[in-house]
């Protein structure tokens, strides 16, 4: 996000810090709202959260002001901290205790791996398009995210009904 602020000449380091803090604030709010949202969206909470994240990326893609970039981070942060507990919840519904430990650890490992390699991924994207344009990377992220949503929904819809019993509420 700080690259996008710099690329568009929107603000300085203090502005970047203020924008980045929106991610954390929204994550805190979504963590508290998770128990309210899960009964509403159930097995589709992850795709819903990814859609919110993609809305945030779209705000970053089209945004040319600090407010738009703050909205982007709010949506992305809210999304991220819905995805995390929803995925852990899905692991608990799909496997035994050993599987939950394994998949939760794997989730955390890949979450951190993604943060570690994102700089290389972005650099590779810039080399691919031939210019250092963070806006184009945001556009590519929207396309990639939409593909992930479709795959997630297909997998969830193909899951046997007896495995979905854990999503029913009285």
């Amino acid at each position: 996000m700080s690259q996008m602020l710099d690329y568009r000449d929107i603000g300085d380091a203090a502005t970047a810090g203020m924008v980045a803090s929106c991610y954390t604030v929204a994550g805190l709010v979504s963590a508290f709202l998770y128990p309210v949202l899960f009964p509403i969206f159930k097995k589709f909470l992850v795709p819903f959260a990814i859609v919110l994240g993609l809305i945030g990326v779209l705000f970053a893609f089209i945004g040319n002001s600090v407010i738009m970039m703050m909205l982007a981070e709010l949506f992305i942060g809210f999304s991220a901290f819905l995805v995390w507990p929803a995925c852990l919840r899905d692991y608990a519904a799909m496997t035994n205790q050993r599987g939950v430990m394994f998949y939760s650890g794997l989730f955390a490992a890949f979450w951190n791996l993604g943060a570690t390699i994102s700089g290389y991924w972005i650099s590779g994207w810039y080399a691919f398009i031939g210019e250092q344009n963070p806006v184009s990377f945001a556009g590519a992220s929207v396309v990639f995210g939409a593909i992930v949503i479709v795959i997630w929904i297909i997998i969830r819809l193909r899951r046997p009904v007896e495995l979905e019993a854990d999503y029913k509420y009285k």
Side-chain angles (χ1 to χ4, degrees):
M1 192 61 73
S2 60
Q3 280 186 347
M4 294 182 84
L5 291 167
D6 184 51
Y7 183 80
R8 293 182 171 144
D9 198 28
I10 293 175
D12 55 12
T15 304
M18 183 177 62
V19 169
S21 70
C22 291
Y23 177 91
T24 304
V25 170
L28 178 68
V29 172
S30 73
F32 281 115
L33 289 178
Y34 174 81
V36 174
L37 295 173
F38 177 78
I40 296 167
F41 292 97
K42 298 178 183 165
K43 65 182 176 180
F44 296 107
L45 185 58
V46 171
F48 169 74
I50 293 172
V51 166
L52 291 179
L54 290 177
I55 291 169
V57 173
L58 280 172
F59 280 144
F61 183 67
I62 63 172
N64 57 4
S65 69
V66 173
I67 298 297
M68 286 294 283
M69 294 307 190
M70 290 174 82
L71 281 172
E73 285 287 24
L74 286 169
F75 272 85
I76 293 167
F78 193 89
S79 167
F81 290 95
L82 281 182
V83 167
W84 188 294
C87 284
L88 297 180
R89 166 77 186 57
D90 278 356
Y91 304 151
M94 291 188 282
T95 188
N96 59 27
Q97 186 176 8
R98 184 179 275 291
V100 170
M101 290 185 293
F102 173 76
Y103 292 119
S104 297
L106 196 62
F107 181 89
F110 277 101
W111 188 284
N112 288 298
L113 179 65
T116 302
I117 66 171
S118 64
Y120 300 108
W121 165 242
I122 292 169
S123 295
W125 174 258
Y126 292 160
F128 175 73
I129 65 168
E131 67 174 312
Q132 192 168 345
N133 181 348
V135 177
S136 67
F137 184 76
S141 297
V142 169
V143 172
F144 177 73
I147 292 168
V148 168
I149 290 170
V150 170
I151 291 170
W152 189 281
I153 289 173
I154 289 170
I155 289 170
R156 296 309 308 233
L157 290 176
R158 294 187 62 177
R159 198 160 168 234
V161 174
E162 60 272 9
L163 295 177
E164 296 298 330
D166 199 29
Y167 284 98
K168 294 181 180 158
Y169 286 87
K170 296 175 181 165

